[in-house]
Amino acid sequence: FDEAAARGRLATVRLKLLQNALLDGREAPAMETVFVGETLRSALALEDAGIREAPTYPRGHLYRGHLRAAICALEALGKEGSVGCATAGIDDLRNALRLSPMSASMHAKVARYYIHAWSLFDAPARREALSVIERASRMNPTDKALQQALETARKEIRG
């Protein structure tokens, strides 16, 4: 799991640089795009292997959810319709919470993912995200960022 996480972190940092290049009107270097894709896929393969060996390890599911979303985002670079990438790893995030229902830190990590992806979610995904953010806020009452995100999410849900 450690190696998969290290590869995933490296690749997601570089993915953000590719996304920033596109936002700045520059073309993403093809070699870098290939490298990031290979690194993400190798991290996902390691994560899958780890989950086969330790299927009840919640962080494995958390990391796999992040990797699936990152792979989707890479494949959608420069294309319309990449909004669905925000939900690409949701099943894994659900599994992470199911496997650690009383973990305040796991709920906070999943809630932070939902907060960052909020603008990309449709209404049903936002309702699900809101329930996780609410629980994470209750479990982490001193986390001001979660409390603030919860209020923002509630306002947006109400319209």
Side-chain angles (χ1 to χ4, degrees), residues 37-139:
E38 289 174 353
T39 305
L40 285 170
R41 286 180 186 82
S42 72
L44 182 59
L46 287 172
E47 206 67 53
D48 286 341
I51 289 172
R52 280 193 298 278
E53 294 296 318
T56 59
Y57 182 58
R59 284 197 176 152
H61 293 276
L62 175 74
Y63 298 150
R64 186 167 66 180
H66 285 281
L67 289 168
R68 286 186 172 161
I71 289 169
C72 181
L74 177 69
E75 292 171 351
L77 273 181
K79 298 178 188 172
E80 290 294 319
S82 62
V83 173
C85 293
T87 59
I90 294 295
D91 288 340
D92 288 299
L93 299 179
R94 287 182 192 128
N95 283 335
L97 294 177
R98 183 181 53 79
L99 291 167
S100 55
M102 299 308 293
S103 170
S105 66
M106 183 61 68
H107 277 77
K109 287 174 183 165
V110 173
R112 283 187 185 87
Y113 176 86
Y114 286 152
I115 291 164
H116 291 297
W118 183 266
S119 65
L120 303 175
F121 288 158
D122 60 11
R126 282 185 176 191
R127 284 190 295 277
E128 178 181 345
L130 179 61
S131 69
V132 172
I133 297 167
E134 286 173 335
R135 181 157 168 81
S137 295
R138 285 192 306 273
M139 295 174 92

